[in-house]
């Protein structure tokens, strides 16, 4: 009986995934992608990986979906007799994808005995850092370098988007995010929801130390609230030349780097923390990261500048 | 205790019925607006009943309050989404009255 909901979920995910690939219309495919993301997050919940589930729902379903929808809207409509890739290309792509899927499935289904895991050691040293959520411990202590580079990549992505700005608009504001027709309902939502959403975003970051949650999930919720306000036409996207904006974008990685280099003096080396101050340092780094993630995601969705600076 | 469980089952069952009705409406109704009507009405009622049924099962007052907050937020989001879709349909119709 308990297997039944899981089986239904797996079937749903597979159906949605196949539909996403098979459907012809670009926008339909993006919507399918969002649905797959939300269903996947349910699957992660069933696997007891709530941290991953939150990230998948926020980033995989939400932020990426929104970015793709925006990209769809900007693209020129495809002509009816659109160019399809050569059938050989089709088959090759399908084959390669199947090989990757089969390989991954083989690794998961037939694990090496005994499976190599660092989980017990990771759990054993958690107390030293004063954190209760093993995922946060791995992200910000054991594998902090990966997390740091991940955030730097986000900054680079934003720089990449900004470089698409036409010469005459450099420094100006991105195109307005408002809908074609102003909507009283949307405006009401954008006035009522942000206070709640900001609390939830901050809660997710703060809570990430001991429970599922963290910078990425919290930052995405904050970004979503900001985007909602911009879409409801209550605020325009800021000009990209603003120093405050640029400082906020690099704040997270810079704080992370400073904490990392401070490790040479106060602990054992780059990105290591002294046990006594581990938790405060991690919380400060997380707060700065969440703020930067929120600003970067918002500006990524807003896109390159489309108006001359005032 | 049994009475509470029976209440939960009845309320969640009613909620599931409304979800089912909403889904049937979504699949069978002819145009966007009536499909939207079926979906929002039935979903709000269905979800409301499920939350109502789960309330007596929550271990403490705080989790019960969380359920109510979730319900309110879903209501707000669903109502706004419904409005936006309906507005878009209106826009399309004005542009192309034949559709």
């Amino acid at each position: 009986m308990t297997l039944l909901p899981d089986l239904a979920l797996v079937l749903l995910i597979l159906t949605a995934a196949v539909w996403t690939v098979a459907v012809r219309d670009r926008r339909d495919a993006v919507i399918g992608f969002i649905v797959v993301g939300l269903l996947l997050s349910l699957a992660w919940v069933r696997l007891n990986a709530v941290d991953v589930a939150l990230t998948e729902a926020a980033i995989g379903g939400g932020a990426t979906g929104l970015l793709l929808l925006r990209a769809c809207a900007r693209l020129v409509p495809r002509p009816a007799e659109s160019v399809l890739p050569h059938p050989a290309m089709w088959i090759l792509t399908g084959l390669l994808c199947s090989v990757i899927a089969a390989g991954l499935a083989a690794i998961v289904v037939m694990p090496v005995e005994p499976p190599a895991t660092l989980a017990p050691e990771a759990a054993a040293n958690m107390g030293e850092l004063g954190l209760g959520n093993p995922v946060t411990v791995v992200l910000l202590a054991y594998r902090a370098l990966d997390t740091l580079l991940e955030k730097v990549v986000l900054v680079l992505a934003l720089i990449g988007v900004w470089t698409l700005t036409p010469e005459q608009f450099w420094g100006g504001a991105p195109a307005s995010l408002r809908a074609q027709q102003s909507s009283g309902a949307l405006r009401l939502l954008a006035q009522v929801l942000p206070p709640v959403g900001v609390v939830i975003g901050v809660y997710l970051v703060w809570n990430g130390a001991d429970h599922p949650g963290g910078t990425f999930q919290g930052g995405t919720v904050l970004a979503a609230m900001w985007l909602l306000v911009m879409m409801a036409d209550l605020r325009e996207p800021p000009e990209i030349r603003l120093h405050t904006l640029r400082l906020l974008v690099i704040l997270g990685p810079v704080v992370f780097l400073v904490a990392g280099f401070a490790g040479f003096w106060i602990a054992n080396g780059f990105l290591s923390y002294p046990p006594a101050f581990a938790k405060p340092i991690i919380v400060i780094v997380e707060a700065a990261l969440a703020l930067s993630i929120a600003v970067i995601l918002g500006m990524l969705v807003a896109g390159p500048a489309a108006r001359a600076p005032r | 205790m049994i009475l509470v469980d029976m209440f939960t089952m009845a309320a969640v069952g009613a909620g599931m019925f409304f979800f089912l009705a909403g889904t049937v409406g979504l699949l069978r109704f002819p145009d966007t607006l009536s499909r939207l009507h079926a979906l929002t009405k039935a979903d709000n009622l269905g979800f409301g009943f499920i939350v109502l049924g789960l309330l007596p099962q929550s271990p403490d007052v705080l989790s019960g309050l969380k359920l109510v907050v979730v319900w309110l937020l879903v209501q707000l989001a669903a109502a706004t989404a419904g409005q936006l879709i309906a507005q878009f349909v209106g826009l399309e119709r004005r542009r192309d009255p034949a559709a």
Side-chain angles (χ1 to χ4, degrees):
Chain A
M1 260 321 262
T2 50
L3 205 64
L4 211 57
D6 288 348
L7 273 178
L9 187 60
V10 168
L11 271 179
L12 265 176
I13 293 174
L14 285 178
T15 316
V18 169
W19 187 81
T20 305
V21 175
V23 75
R24 269 321 193 22
D25 189 60
R26 244 188 236 130
R27 202 180 52 180
D28 290 355
V30 173
I31 293 170
F33 173 81
I34 296 173
V35 172
V36 171
L38 293 177
L39 288 171
L40 271 182
S41 72
L42 280 182
W44 286 117
V45 173
R46 291 295 301 161
L47 291 168
N48 272 330
V50 184
D51 283 279
V52 190
L54 283 170
T55 314
E56 178 63 43
I59 301 285
T64 318
L66 193 56
L67 276 174
L68 289 173
L69 276 177
R70 291 271 298 168
C72 269
R74 290 176 81 103
L75 288 173
V76 274
R78 208 158 48 165
E81 73 291 352
S82 60
V83 217
L84 279 176
H86 195 267
M89 194 69 176
W90 255 66
I91 296 170
L92 192 66
T93 314
L95 265 179
L96 284 176
C97 288
S98 316
V99 167
I100 292 172
L104 285 175
I107 293 169
V108 174
V109 177
M110 302 179 292
V112 270
E113 286 296 336
T117 174
L118 291 170
E121 284 166 61
N125 295 313
M126 258 170 62
E128 263 184 62
L129 294 160
L131 300 176
N133 182 2
V135 177
T136 305
V137 172
V138 171
L139 284 181
L140 280 139
Y142 299 146
R143 303 299 307 168
L145 190 61
D146 295 354
T147 313
L148 173 64
L149 293 177
E150 201 177 283
K151 306 308 180 221
V152 174
V153 165
L154 265 183
V155 177
L156 290 179
L158 184 61
I159 293 174
V161 167
W162 280 357
T163 52
L164 297 173
T165 304
E167 187 65 38
Q168 71 269 28
F169 296 149
W170 178 249
S176 177
L177 283 165
R178 66 163 168 264
Q180 293 172 316
Q181 198 182 17
S182 77
S183 156
L186 188 61
R187 192 163 301 155
L188 178 71
L189 187 73
Q191 283 165 337
V192 175
L193 201 59
V196 184
V198 168
V199 170
I200 292 178
V202 173
Y203 170 80
L204 277 174
V205 178
W206 174 250
N207 213 23
D210 293 321
H211 300 282
T215 51
F216 238 111
Q217 298 93 322
T220 313
V221 173
L222 293 178
M225 291 307 119
W226 186 30
L227 285 168
L228 181 63
V229 170
M230 292 198 282
M231 282 173 186
D233 203 17
L234 295 172
R235 283 279 182 284
E236 287 286 313
E239 298 196 332
I240 61 173
R241 61 174 177 171
L242 288 180
H243 284 300
T244 335
L245 179 79
R246 294 182 176 189
L247 279 177
L248 282 174
V249 164
I250 57 164
L251 177 72
V254 166
V255 171
F256 209 161
L257 268 177
V258 169
F261 279 113
F264 281 120
W265 286 280
I266 55 176
N268 305 323
F270 189 58
L271 281 175
S272 65
Y273 317 112
F277 301 107
K279 184 165 178 178
I281 292 177
I282 288 178
V283 168
I284 290 170
V285 169
E286 283 205 297
L289 284 177
L291 207 59
S292 285
I293 288 170
V295 174
I296 291 173
L297 285 178
M299 290 314 284
L300 275 179
V301 174
R307 282 174 283 187
R310 260 174 281 153
Chain B
M1 244 16 247
I2 286 180
L3 219 65
V4 172
D5 285 351
M6 275 172 66
F7 172 77
T8 296
M9 272 189 249
V12 172
M16 283 167 72
F17 169 77
F18 279 110
F19 266 109
L20 192 70
T23 311
V24 170
L26 177 71
L27 293 175
R28 304 290 303 174
F29 278 169
D31 64 311
T32 312
L33 285 184
S34 30
R35 280 199 290 263
L36 198 61
H37 172 82
L39 198 65
T40 45
K41 287 285 175 301
D43 270 10
N44 287 351
L45 264 177
F47 193 59
F49 268 117
I50 288 179
V51 169
L52 195 69
L54 292 180
L55 272 184
Q57 305 288 335
S58 48
D60 48 70
V61 182
L62 198 64
S63 355
L65 271 177
K66 277 183 194 164
L67 273 175
V68 174
V69 170
V70 167
W71 175 66
L72 280 175
L73 287 176
V74 170
Q75 289 276 71
L76 191 65
T80 312
Q83 283 272 342
L84 287 179
I85 294 172
Q87 221 170 36
F88 185 72
V89 172
L91 204 71
E92 296 271 282
R93 276 195 190 159
R94 247 170 284 147
R95 226 178 259 160
D96 178 18

